[in-house]
Amino acid sequence: VATPPAPPAPVPGPDAVDQTGAPVQAPPPAPATPPSTAGLSPTRMFDTARADYAAGQWSLALTGFDAFLKTFPRSEMADDAQFFIGETYFAQNRWMDAITAYNQVIQNYPTGNAVPDAYYKRGSAYLEQGLKEQARADFQMVLKNFADSTVAPLAKAKLDGIK
């Protein structure tokens, strides 16, 4: 037979005193917890974060994509979530944070479909920083290794603009 759980300890009221007559302090409130991801499908969780991104809700988007990566690290959408972390930083002109996020796409998901875009956007972020050689290398990487990608013509145009 299972023992029933103990009842919760009573919370003292504002005028509560202990045996000596000293005021009793209420316990501090429990820390806020992030919303639960239990029961969310990878697609729904990703789509929610992407909707936050589209609405310009940067901190919610970052939180959502980060939670997605922690919850579904092996999902086929993981590279896209990491890429959108970069996009969120890029949209805020946080160039070095964007570069770091795009680096993670390239390093952690080398066969992912977001890799060509990550090279292109990392090159664009480098260009925003005035780092032309790094930008040139990324645009050349797109043209050399991802010539059929949708970003290849964009990389060519940026590369032509650097010269």
Side-chain angles (χ1 to χ4, degrees):
V1 174
T3 306
V11 175
D15 298 326
V17 293
D18 67 13
Q19 298 154 334
T20 65
V24 175
Q25 297 291 325
T33 56
S36 172
T37 57
L40 285 180
S41 73
T43 301
R44 179 147 183 227
M45 197 171 179
F46 181 87
D47 289 347
T48 300
R50 188 155 182 195
D52 290 333
Y53 168 80
Q57 299 291 325
W58 309 130
S59 64
L60 286 175
L62 288 170
T63 300
F65 289 125
D66 188 55
F68 177 91
L69 289 170
K70 286 185 170 101
T71 307
F72 303 107
R74 304 235 187 277
S75 165
E76 67 181 47
M77 293 182 290
D79 63 323
D80 300 301
Q82 183 62 55
F83 178 76
F84 270 99
I85 289 173
E87 291 292 84
T88 303
Y89 289 132
F90 195 95
Q92 298 174 80
N93 300 333
R94 292 173 61 182
W95 311 123
M96 294 313 291
D97 290 329
I99 289 166
T100 299
Y102 297 134
N103 284 343
Q104 290 179 9
V105 173
I106 294 162
Q107 292 169 2
N108 297 342
Y109 310 99
T111 61
N113 66 338
V115 171
D117 295 49
Y119 274 110
Y120 171 73
K121 290 303 291 258
R122 186 176 74 178
S124 298
Y126 279 135
L127 206 51
E128 290 290 341
Q129 289 288 98
L131 301 170
K132 292 181 180 180
E133 290 309 310
Q134 291 92 329
R136 180 179 285 120
D138 278 350
F139 298 141
Q140 287 172 337
M141 177 69 78
V142 171
L143 294 175
K144 179 181 177 190
N145 294 333
F146 308 102
D148 294 334
S149 70
T150 58
V151 294
L154 302 174
K156 173 135 180 38
K158 291 251 183 156
L159 195 56
D160 290 345
I162 292 175
K163 293 178 179 173

